[in-house]
Amino acid sequence: FLFVPAVEVKIEVVIPEKERSKEEMSPNGKASPLIYKVNGTARHYHLEEHPIASNPYHNPKDVVEASVCHVKDLENGQMREVDLGCGKALLIKESGEFHAVGHKCPHYGAPLVKGVLSKGRVRCPWHGACFNIGTGDIEDFPGLDSLPRFQVKIEKEKVYIRASKQALQTQRRTKMMAKCISLSNYNLSSTNVLIIGAGIGWHVLGPLCVSPPGWVCKEQGVCVPCTFCHPSCSMDSHPEQITLRPKEFFRTYDIEVLTEMQVAAVDIKNKIAVFKDGFKMEYNKLLIATGNTAAPSSPARSGQGCSSAAASWGAQGSAGGIPAAAWTCFCSPGMEVAAYLAERAHSVSLVELEEVPFKKFFGERVGRAVMKMFESNRVKFYMQTEVSELREQEGKLKEVVLKSGKVLRADVCVVGVGAVPATGFLKQSGINIDSKGFIVVNKMMQTNIPGVFAAGDAVTFPLALRNNKKVNVPHWQMAHMHGRIAALNMLAHGMEISTVPYLWTAMFGKSIRYAGHGEGFDDVVIQGDLDELKFVAFYTK
């Protein structure tokens, strides 16, 4: 992994709801009624009708064409951000050919000109999303959308780009709706796709989406998928900042979202999902993306791969230490919480079973360097102990008692209890579940049942770089890839998963970026300055 300044990572572009509704989306046409059979009785749900948008190139007034450079201005393998007057594009020259695509990554708006160009793909400099320069398609993640692609022509040794003004202006927002070319040639009109779960892995094409067991969003009335890695880094986020899609997206793409409903069982023989209230829904293809749920636990719980559990902060002016949670996975939401609160709380502390934080993943040397960074930012550690008791006074938290006997004053305590796959409703379904509760899938994200796919944190899948060993990788980027692979194979595309796991976190202005999948190591080879946190570490076995 690599420590680098994280100024860019902290940049966010928040789209007001009224602006989101104006974004260009490519409707599939008027919605036809959806018919759900409930115990033999048909229920009809009509989606709102939306006008069909015309092709933007059909309106000459919407098109801009500009000369952007001479053919010799760019060498092979070079990229340039060019201005077309009403917006910018990324001009790329590779193997003697010119391509033009959107200049910003649709994930968080990173300038792609600062990314890496290799073998027909450009990779985002912030979070690693990868795009095909010929089609604009997103081919590695994170991110939900592809890049807009623009026409390029050469006349008299000059390079011209022709583009829709609307497409250029849409790039000013981060939530673009560019169409994925690899999915555009398929017709889903005869396929009834049911998706159980609302995590990131579900964002495949389909007419239906059902909330996972226990997923409720009463305040908004409609529960839409959210990014859960963001709140631990920036705890003052508002709901509209962390939703993955605006409500208009679901209406435009004919996705019926059913909320506050719990799937109790799946009848694979008759292809029916049975809900807790007796409601039944038929499907042709099924995607299970229920993710994880909090593990049942006491405040002092410790488990395999996760530490004891408390994260908390003190009210301004209060005295004493505030215990803070350790982490349940590499991305360390507890550590991120502590980092975020260090400048806002009276005091912040971390309680941890291990001798050094991150020791299992980073090794002792790197773990101590991270620990030193936290200590220099007023975070106190209580290591090799765990929480034994939470004490309250007049209905409010007052103290946290550690097994070491230390008593910490605390106003708030955040507990990281770990997670287990939310797959209990599948136990009698015939779908293959391993001993830990994970859904077992093949390289195409298909279960042992034809037409039933699974994606996200709840699955184990063959990892190509580990000789196809079945692994569970509960990371943001991987869940995105699972959804893409599952979608393509629902459409008989025959795509196998082969991505390299990649994840990141940002704390105190430093970004940790990790590529690969380690299961223990014999040695850590460090290049760079560990004390300055400017280094690369290679984990060898």
Side-chain angles (χ1 to χ4, degrees):
F1 61 91
L2 174 68
F3 273 93
V4 295
V7 176
E8 291 181 327
V9 176
K10 292 179 180 291
I11 294 176
E12 300 174 6
V13 180
V14 179
I15 311 165
E17 192 69 29
K18 63 180 181 180
E19 288 296 322
R20 289 185 178 189
S21 64
K22 298 177 184 178
E23 293 190 21
E24 178 189 14
M25 305 182 206
S26 303
N28 294 328
K30 293 184 178 180
S32 58
L34 299 176
I35 303 177
Y36 305 151
K37 290 185 179 179
V38 186
N39 301 330
T41 304
R43 292 184 184 177
H44 294 258
Y45 291 85
H46 292 265
L47 300 175
E48 294 184 22
E49 293 186 353
H50 296 270
I52 300 176
S54 60
N55 186 329
Y57 284 89
H58 290 170
N59 184 358
K61 294 182 180 180
D62 184 59
V63 176
V64 60
E65 184 173 296
S67 172
V68 293
C69 70
H70 191 275
V71 291
K72 294 183 179 179
D73 288 344
L74 260 68
E75 300 292 334
N76 281 322
Q78 286 189 330
M79 301 185 290
R80 176 181 292 185
E81 199 174 87
V82 294
D83 195 339
L84 277 67
C86 61
K88 295 182 179 181
L90 181 67
L91 181 65
I92 302 167
K93 185 176 183 181
E94 190 170 70
S95 302
E97 294 186 2
F98 286 90
H99 304 272
V101 294
H103 71 294
K104 287 185 177 182
C105 177
H107 181 225
Y108 267 98
L112 293 176
V113 71
K114 296 183 179 181
V116 175
L117 175 66
S118 177
K119 299 179 181 179
R121 294 170 180 83
V122 59
R123 190 170 289 274
C124 171
W126 291 358
H127 303 115
C130 189
F131 304 90
N132 186 300
I133 63 173
T135 65
D137 282 0
I138 185 168
E139 295 186 353
D140 206 347
F141 299 87
L144 299 179
D145 299 301
S146 298
L147 297 175
R149 181 183 58 162
F150 309 122
Q151 294 179 2
V152 179
K153 67 177 182 179
I154 309 296
E155 286 185 1
K156 298 180 179 179
E157 300 296 299
K158 290 186 177 180
V159 180
Y160 291 83
I161 295 178
R162 189 168 186 261
S164 158
K165 294 178 182 178
Q166 192 173 15
L168 288 168
Q169 292 168 356
T170 299
Q171 295 181 89
R172 296 174 185 174
R173 314 178 185 99
T174 59
K175 302 286 186 182
M176 295 188 289
M177 296 295 172
K179 194 171 186 178
C180 182
I181 301 300
S182 61
L183 294 179
S184 61
N185 296 326
Y186 295 90
N187 185 3
L188 273 175
S189 60
S190 61
T191 302
N192 180 19
V193 179
L194 172 63
I195 305 168
I196 303 175
I200 186 60
W202 81 268
H203 68 283
V204 298
L205 299 180
L208 300 173
C209 177
V210 184
S211 297
W215 187 286
V216 178
C217 190
K218 295 181 180 178
E219 290 76 15
Q220 295 184 1
V222 174
C223 181
V224 296
C226 297
T227 166
F228 290 106
C229 60
H230 187 229
S232 61
C233 300
S234 181
M235 298 183 68
D236 56 358
S237 302
H238 299 288
E240 63 271 15
Q241 295 175 253
I242 64 173
T243 53
L244 295 175
R245 295 293 195 190
K247 297 175 184 178
E248 289 78 10
F249 173 87
F250 303 102
R251 293 196 293 265
T252 300
Y253 287 96
D254 301 347
I255 300 173
E256 183 76 3
V257 182
L258 305 180
T259 61
E260 300 186 43
M261 296 183 69
Q262 181 174 342
V263 177
V266 175
D267 180 351
I268 61 172
K269 182 179 180 180
N270 297 304
K271 294 187 175 182
I272 293 175
V274 182
F275 292 76
K276 193 173 182 179
D277 62 359
F279 184 82
K280 294 182 180 180
M281 186 180 295
E282 294 181 348
Y283 64 85
N284 295 122
K285 299 287 178 67
L286 175 65
L287 175 68
I288 303 167
T290 49
N292 288 333
T293 186
S297 171
S298 68
R301 176 190 181 273
S302 62
Q304 184 177 5
C306 65
S307 47
S308 73
S312 127
W313 56 98
Q316 194 168 18
S318 67
I322 310 300
W327 17 273
T328 58
C329 67
F330 170 86
C331 285
S332 66
M335 296 285 277
E336 291 174 344
V337 168
Y340 177 82
L341 294 170
E343 296 180 357
R344 296 165 174 81
H346 180 272
S347 60
V348 177
S349 299
L350 284 142
V351 180
E352 168 57 39
L353 280 173
E354 297 287 344
E355 179 185 1
V356 177
F358 292 132
K359 183 178 180 179
K360 178 181 177 182
F361 299 102
F362 295 167
E364 185 169 349
R365 290 179 63 195
V366 176
R368 289 195 183 279
V370 175
M371 187 175 179
K372 182 180 178 182
M373 176 179 69
F374 271 72
E375 289 174 332
S376 66
N377 284 277
R378 300 187 307 109
V379 175
K380 190 167 184 178
F381 288 86
Y382 294 88
M383 308 303 290
Q384 296 181 291
T385 188
E386 56 186 315
V387 177
S388 63
E389 183 184 359
L390 301 178
R391 293 176 179 170
E392 58 90 21
Q393 184 177 21
E394 297 180 353
K396 295 182 180 180
L397 178 65
K398 181 177 178 61
E399 294 175 335
V400 175
V401 182
L402 307 183
K403 280 195 173 180
S404 63
K406 179 71 175 180
V407 178
L408 307 175
R409 287 191 58 186
D411 300 298
V412 181
C413 180
V414 178
V415 182
V417 297
V420 295
T423 57
F425 69 103
L426 299 173
K427 286 184 178 179
Q428 306 301 323
S429 66
I431 297 171
N432 190 7
I433 307 291
D434 70 11
S435 60
K436 295 181 179 180
F438 294 109
I439 304 169
V440 181
V441 297
N442 61 18
K443 292 181 181 180
M444 295 196 271
M445 306 311 296
Q446 181 167 291
T447 68
N448 60 308
I449 307 300
V452 178
F453 298 78
D457 293 0
V459 309
T460 59
F461 67 99
L463 185 62
L465 63 86
R466 296 304 299 268
N467 296 318
N468 294 321
K469 179 180 179 180
K470 290 290 181 68
V471 299
N472 172 254
V473 183
H475 299 153
W476 193 238
Q477 168 254 5
M478 190 57 71
H480 282 77
M481 181 58 76
H482 286 178
R484 173 184 170 87
I485 298 298
L488 290 170
N489 290 311
M490 282 183 170
L491 303 172
H493 194 73
M495 179 71 72
E496 295 185 353
I497 189 165
S498 61
T499 186
V500 174
Y502 173 81
L503 52 126
W504 72 92
T505 183
M507 298 173 291
F508 297 118
K510 295 289 185 179
S511 177
I512 303 174
R513 306 181 184 188
Y514 186 104
H517 181 74
E519 293 179 346
F521 47 88
D522 298 321
D523 191 19
V524 184
V525 180
I526 295 175
Q527 295 180 358
D529 192 329
L530 191 58
D531 292 332
E532 293 293 324
L533 295 178
K534 295 179 180 180
F535 67 93
V536 180
F538 300 89
Y539 295 84
T540 66
K541 192 172 184 178

